[in-house]
Amino acid sequence: FNLLAGTNLFQRSRANNSGDHPILFFDPLYVLRTPLETRDIVLCHDVGPITHRDLFDAKVTALYSRAYEAIRAKKPGMVLVSEASRDAFVELYGSNYRFLKVIPLYVRQALASGEEKPIPSVKPPFFLTIGAFETRKNHKRIVAAYESSGLRDKGYSYVLCGPRGNSADEVQKLAETTPGVHAFGYLSDAEVRWLYRHATGFVLPSLLEGFGLPPLEAALRGLISIVSNEGAQR
């Protein structure tokens, strides 16, 4: 996934923008390839590449550092997805912007009802984690906690699923070598509904969450979640 994908589209939009209209940048990185103006709006999920540098590749951190400095210089309108992300942004870059507005993400109601598709290799009872296989999601610590908890001896398994990230290979290997742990990549909505419906509880002690959508989805299905006392999850 190229973090700067699509920026040429923004360049053309600025060049072809004959009216006095702002441009909405869907990620701070896009301002590196398109002239940013104060009238524009930048959407920011979190400032993790700055506050949690150890969780990101050094090149990603460097790019975001440049992007946020450009934003601080122009002071456009800022939209952030949570109060936690807004507070972290303000602490780093101040509050003197055209506006600073929190617009939370939404929980997809489609996950609450509809067709369910069982996963043959998974049998209740089990605990569930849904989230990208990234270092910040803390999968290794969850697996270690499961292994030392004695839950497997009581018949509980642990299921994790999500798109590939910077720790995908490591997490997959850990799952394959830890009895009782099932790791899946992308699953359909029907399979996710089944997991939420049959899970005993939800676990996501993430080290960084700009919003934290999966625990809210779990709550929608009546699941109690174990989450970290950090950022948006707090």
Side-chain angles (χ1 to χ4, degrees):
F1 169 45
N2 184 349
L3 290 170
L4 290 176
T7 51
N8 288 334
L9 174 61
F10 286 121
Q11 286 180 305
R12 291 195 297 272
S13 296
R14 177 66 78 197
N16 297 334
N17 187 4
S18 58
D20 189 24
H21 302 297
I23 288 179
L24 171 61
F25 294 86
F26 285 99
D27 190 275
L29 281 184
Y30 294 147
V31 309
L32 296 179
R33 296 281 295 275
T34 303
L36 176 68
E37 299 183 7
T38 302
R39 70 187 186 191
D40 295 332
I41 302 170
V42 179
L43 173 63
C44 176
H45 282 75
D46 62 67
V47 289
I50 310 301
T51 59
H52 295 68
R53 293 171 180 263
D54 56 316
L55 301 180
F56 295 87
D57 182 85
K59 293 181 179 179
V60 172
T61 296
L63 285 171
Y64 272 103
S65 295
R66 288 172 50 202
Y68 283 123
E69 289 303 326
I71 290 168
R72 173 155 52 185
K74 288 295 184 178
K75 304 191 182 305
M78 296 297 300
V79 173
L80 299 106
V81 300
S82 70
E83 293 180 5
S85 290
R86 179 198 59 197
D87 293 346
F89 177 86
V90 170
E91 184 175 351
L92 287 168
Y93 301 108
S95 59
N96 183 25
Y97 293 82
R98 188 161 67 86
F99 60 77
L100 278 167
K101 187 172 182 62
V102 173
I103 301 180
L105 299 179
Y106 66 96
V107 178
R108 291 193 300 143
Q109 296 296 321
L111 284 179
S113 61
E115 176 191 1
E116 295 182 2
K117 183 179 180 181
I119 300 176
S121 60
V122 176
K123 305 296 181 185
F126 60 86
F127 287 89
L128 174 65
T129 295
I130 295 179
F133 289 2
E134 299 175 354
T135 304
R136 66 190 180 96
K137 300 295 184 179
N138 222 359
H139 291 100
K140 291 194 297 182
R141 185 170 295 176
I142 308 173
V143 172
Y146 167 77
E147 192 171 22
S148 64
S149 67
L151 286 171
R152 181 173 59 236
D153 296 335
K154 298 178 181 179
Y156 290 89
S157 59
Y158 170 53
V159 177
L160 59 157
C161 63
R164 291 183 60 83
N166 59 8
S167 66
D169 293 339
E170 188 176 13
V171 171
Q172 191 68 48
K173 183 178 180 179
L174 185 62
E176 292 172 355
T177 56
T178 306
V181 176
H182 306 271
F184 303 98
Y186 173 83
L187 296 176
S188 67
D189 280 356
E191 290 169 317
V192 171
R193 289 190 200 99
W194 185 86
L195 288 173
Y196 274 133
R197 177 178 174 81
H198 292 279
T200 299
F202 189 84
V203 187
L204 189 65
S206 177
L207 302 173
L208 170 68
E209 288 295 325
F211 185 74
L213 198 56
L216 291 184
E217 294 176 345
L220 186 67
R221 302 305 302 268
L223 288 177
I224 294 176
S225 292
I226 299 173
V227 298
S228 57
N229 188 26
E230 296 288 342
Q233 291 200 113
R234 178 186 298 122

